[in-house]
Amino acid sequence: IMVGTNTAHFDNPSLTVRHWSGRNPIRVVLDKNLRLNNNLNIFSKDSMTIIVRDSSSGFAIPKQTNSDLQSEFIEVEFNENLIQNILQKLHENKIQSLIVEGGRQLLQSFIDSGLYDEIRLFKADFQIKSGISAPKINFKHIKSIEKITDELSIYHRL
């Protein structure tokens, strides 16, 4: 499951299995210039975290000061092929399935690249009046499922 730098920093998600049984997913976080604090939930010992950094950033990979952390770094070029570069590196690390739980910028990057199979969009029964706008989508609607007060819509690429 993947998030971007801003989502990791501002939302501080755990990205672990809760209220359900099963293994925790491998967490992937984009941290181009290694600016995230290792006290964030995404770096807990509950699951492995892969940190994707810019191969041309010039920043040295920090030494692990907290032995409880389970993380490793992969380096990619943060260029016009960023999403393709990330997916290639994850594939090389035997990761063949990815859920993107990112914010607008990361989600829009995947949408623009066309490198996805399905989008699942949850819609609540209330409207947020201000904030960051949702990504722009143009997909083939497959089905909608009512979930208590929310609606889950499933879309495939056109």
Side-chain angles (χ1 to χ4, degrees):
I1 187 163
M2 174 187 274
V3 294
T5 307
N6 287 335
T7 298
H9 176 74
F10 292 111
D11 295 350
N12 197 17
S14 295
L15 303 182
T16 56
V17 175
R18 295 174 308 283
H19 313 297
W20 199 262
S21 62
R23 292 183 339 202
N24 285 324
I26 295 172
R27 303 173 290 196
V28 180
V29 61
L30 272 66
D31 191 5
K32 179 179 180 178
N33 297 315
L34 301 179
R35 69 178 179 99
L36 291 174
N37 184 311
N38 69 3
N39 291 327
L40 292 170
N41 292 333
I42 198 164
F43 300 121
S44 73
K45 65 181 177 178
D46 298 322
S47 185
M48 167 63 78
T49 300
I50 295 174
I51 303 154
V52 180
R53 61 165 274 169
D54 188 356
S55 59
S56 64
S57 69
F59 293 103
I61 294 175
K63 293 184 177 164
Q64 295 282 348
T65 56
N66 183 344
S67 61
D68 289 339
L69 299 178
Q70 295 185 62
S71 57
E72 65 181 53
F73 295 87
I74 62 172
E75 295 184 328
V76 300
E77 288 187 45
F78 275 61
N79 59 24
E80 66 274 356
N81 298 320
L82 174 61
I83 301 304
Q84 186 173 355
N85 295 343
I86 291 168
L87 293 176
Q88 179 62 41
K89 283 290 189 178
L90 291 175
H91 180 75
E92 290 170 10
N93 282 275
K94 311 261 187 279
I95 296 173
Q96 299 179 18
S97 180
L98 181 68
I99 297 171
V100 180
E101 180 69 29
R104 184 191 195 292
Q105 185 175 351
L106 181 59
L107 291 172
Q108 193 67 59
S109 295
F110 269 89
I111 292 167
D112 293 347
S113 74
L115 296 172
Y116 61 90
D117 296 317
E118 182 177 273
I119 291 179
R120 292 182 174 226
L121 188 141
F122 282 93
K123 185 176 178 182
D125 66 347
F126 61 89
Q127 185 174 8
I128 298 172
K129 302 289 185 199
S130 63
I132 299 171
S133 60
K136 304 291 185 226
I137 60 173
N138 183 20
F139 309 104
K140 178 181 178 186
H141 183 260
I142 301 300
K143 66 180 174 180
S144 293
I145 303 165
E146 296 289 327
K147 295 286 186 181
I148 305 173
T149 60
D150 295 343
E151 178 182 296
L152 166 63
S153 295
I154 300 172
Y155 298 87
H156 288 181
R157 257 184 324 140
L158 290 176

